[in-house]
Structure formats: structure tokens, C-alpha cells
Amino acid sequence: MTTIRFAVTLLLTGVLFVLNIYIGSVDIPIETVNDILFRGGDAEGPLRFIVIGSRLPQAITALLAGAGLTVAGLMLQTAFRNPLAGPSILGITSGASLGVAFVILFLGGSISLAGYTWGGYLAVLLGAFLGSLAIMALLLLFSVWLKNDLMLLITGVMVGYLTSSVITILNYLSTAEGVHGYVAWGMGNFNGVSLGQLPVFAATVCAGLLMAILLAKPLNVILLGENYAHNLGVNMMWVRNILLLATGLLTAVVTAFCGPVSFIGLAVPHIVRMIFRVADHRLIIPACIVTGGGIGLLCNLLCILPRNIMLPLNGVTPLIGVPVILYVIFKERLTRKSR
């Protein structure tokens, strides 16, 4: 039964990927798209740029970003045994937001480092990645001192509040143009990865996903309790640090390239559990990769369906995420009452 569900989910994700190539805010006939994809048509024209230079990398980005955030959310929910844990809960997303705020609101949109100057989107990308890595390094340092997972979770939340405070101050002191640029980045999108940047983005996300797959067995042991894990000889400190590194890497690269995407990492792991009804991470992690990729493609499709405009990603993701989280909350409450 699990195999059939996985095959159906994989098929639906494939269909959504194809729809993302053929459908967009600009109406292009199917025959023209086929000609561009399979026969090299419109070699120098604008339609080829739309299909190959925009829609294709956007679809691949949505697929990988959805998969990465979902797997990161699953690992955090398992590690902290908290159904409402997500990639943003440890402050890594806030770190990326702080990096971007510093670049746009304080530095005026450019970074000068070692004699080189980066401006525009490259500066935003660099700021987001450095901000994420800084918070991730801080959490890894705290994980050495704090032996309790709950305390580490609370520390991450506090770090998030601290970075939000700094961002608020930067917004207040910035110009109207700077605030507008930062707000636009904060809405999230999957169209910020070009064909040239795609290999770096894809390789980094795939590295994080591979680390998650290698953690499948330790995560299964964690489900049985920390004492049981110790009795089996599992080095919990090592597992927690690798888990933080994997989730931090996935969250950092997706946030740097796509902005602070909301709800996918928080809600989609619950959708996967509802569909597959398994707890074995050797099965549920691949299921999260496929389902998360499909949800990312669905959200991107909803963003690009309106003609001549593109909706902000974070205006669409709550439409899927909020009902799922409310269901989880009410289900948990009903379960406790029945006991």
C-alpha cells in the first residue's frame, strides 16, 4: 500500500512539474513550448527565454526548495518531539532575514569584501547565506553547552526574537526604498534562481537531503526515546550536531535563494504522515522529498496562474499550511480529551 501511495505521489509531482513548464503568466501555445523544449525552436527569441530561462529553473527550484524545507521540518519535529517545530523555529530563517536586512537597509544594497564589491541580487544572496550560516554556527556552539533538546529549541526561538528586534530597528532607520526592497524579498519567490545559479543551488540542497537520508536510522531510534538511544550506543551529541547542520544547510540555501518561505517546512511533514501513515524515517524521508517537491510546485503554479502578474509565494503557502496546522492542533486536543 505504501508503494502505491508513493507511486501516485511521484506521478502527481511529475504532472505538476510539467504543468509548471507549460503554464505561466504569459500564454504560450503547447505546440510552441514543445518546439522550444524538444526541437530547439525560437533560438534567439523571447519565448525561449521564458520557457528555458525562466520556467524551467523556476520549476526545478520549487521542486528542490519544497523537498528541502519539508525534510528539514520533519527532522526538527522528530528531534524535538514537537509537531509545531519547523525550519524557522531555530532562528536560521531569521538569521537570513537579518543578513538581507543588513545588506539592503544598512549597506544600501551592496557588499564590499576583500577588495570586491557585490551589488543587487548577488549581494542579497550573499547576505542571506552569511546570516543563516552565522546563526547555524551559533546554534552548533550552543548545542555543545546545552545537553537538553528543549533548551536548545528555546534558545533558537530567543535568537529569532533577537534578530527580529534588530531588523525592526534597521527598518525604522532605513529609507523608503530600502524598506520596499526588503519587504519584496520577504514575500518569497521561486523565480530568483537563474540557470547559471541552479547547479550551485541544486548541489547544496541535494547535499542536505543526502545528510538527512543518512540520519534515517538514528532518527528512528530517537522516536523510541533518548535513554533507549543511549542504551543502543547512539551518540546523541553527534546525531544532534549533524541534524542541525543538515537542517541549517537546507534552510539557509533555500532562504538565501528564495526568501523566507513560510509553512512548507512546518505543514507538509504532517501531510506526509497523513498520506503514508508510517513512522519509519527510511520511508518517510523519501516520501517527504517527493511530497514536499510536489507542494512546492503546486504553490509556484498558484503564484503564476494569474495572467501578467505573479503572486507572492508567502501569500499562497498559508492557504495550504494553515488548515493543516489547525487540523494537527485540534486533533491533538481531541486525542488528549479522549484519554
Side-chain angles (χ1 to χ4, degrees):
M1 196 64 175
T2 301
T3 304
I4 295 174
R5 289 171 180 167
F6 188 85
V8 171
T9 305
L10 187 62
L11 177 62
L12 290 174
T13 299
V15 170
L16 286 167
F17 185 87
V18 173
L19 290 176
N20 272 264
I21 303 297
Y22 282 83
I23 298 175
S25 56
V26 177
D27 191 15
I28 303 176
I30 294 177
E31 296 78 10
T32 304
V33 177
N34 286 334
D35 185 54
I36 291 171
L37 289 174
F38 304 113
R39 291 182 289 274
D42 196 34
E44 302 296 332
L47 295 184
R48 183 174 182 82
F49 173 78
I50 292 174
V51 174
I52 301 298
S54 178
R55 289 186 184 178
L56 181 60
Q58 192 170 339
I60 296 173
T61 300
L63 178 72
L64 292 173
L69 291 175
T70 301
V71 170
L74 172 72
M75 289 192 293
L76 291 172
Q77 289 169 10
T78 300
F80 294 111
R81 292 181 286 278
N82 188 331
L84 298 181
S88 61
I89 199 71
L90 289 177
I92 298 170
T93 302
S94 298
S97 300
L98 178 60
V100 172
F102 193 77
V103 170
I104 295 178
L105 304 176
F106 186 74
L107 298 179
S110 64
I111 297 177
S112 295
L113 191 65
Y116 295 94
T117 299
W118 293 273
Y121 182 75
L122 187 60
V124 170
L125 182 64
L126 184 61
F129 201 68
L130 290 176
S132 298
L133 291 180
I135 298 300
M136 187 172 66
L138 186 64
L139 289 172
L140 285 170
L141 181 62
F142 282 142
S143 72
V144 176
W145 296 336
L146 301 173
K147 307 299 182 183
N148 187 287
D149 286 335
L150 179 60
M151 294 304 296
L152 184 62
L153 182 64
I154 294 172
T155 301
V157 173
M158 292 301 104
V159 169
Y161 279 125
L162 182 61
T163 56
S164 297
S165 175
V166 177
I167 291 170
T168 300
I169 295 172
L170 289 174
N171 268 301
Y172 183 78
L173 298 175
S174 181
T175 62
E177 292 80 6
V179 173
H180 181 270
Y182 178 74
V183 170
W185 175 82
M187 291 180 180
N189 66 82
F190 289 137
N191 66 345
V193 183
S194 65
L195 273 176
Q197 297 167 335
L198 191 58
V200 176
F201 177 77
T204 311
V205 172
C206 288
L209 293 176
L210 179 60
M211 293 169 67
I213 291 171
L214 295 176
L215 285 171
K217 287 185 178 180
L219 286 170
N220 283 340
V221 175
I222 289 174
L223 287 176
L224 300 174
E226 192 167 327
N227 291 332
Y228 188 82
H230 282 302
N231 292 334
L232 289 179
V234 176
N235 188 332
M236 291 302 296
M237 178 67 70
W238 180 85
V239 170
R240 187 168 61 169
N241 287 343
I242 297 298
L243 185 144
L244 282 175
L245 188 62
T247 56
L249 184 64
L250 289 169
T251 307
V253 70
V254 172
T255 307
F257 279 91
C258 307
V261 182
S262 63
F263 281 103
I264 289 182
L266 180 61
V268 181
H270 296 292
I271 296 177
V272 174
R273 293 187 185 99
M274 292 177 207
I275 296 173
F276 291 91
R277 298 174 185 175
V278 292
D280 189 345
H281 283 78
R282 292 173 297 180
L283 299 174
I284 203 170
I285 288 178
C288 278
I289 292 173
V290 175
T291 308
I295 296 295
L297 289 166
L298 176 61
C299 291
N300 188 63
L301 191 62
L302 294 175
C303 289
I304 63 179
L305 275 178
R307 288 288 179 261
N308 301 319
I309 63 170
M310 185 168 181
L311 298 176
L313 181 61
N314 284 333
V316 172
T317 51
L319 299 177
I320 298 173
V322 170
V324 173
I325 298 305
L326 290 177
Y327 170 78
V328 170
I329 292 172
F330 286 119
K331 182 182 177 183
E332 184 75 16
R333 183 174 177 82
L334 290 174
T335 302
R336 288 181 180 178
K337 278 188 174 182
S338 64
R339 290 174 184 173

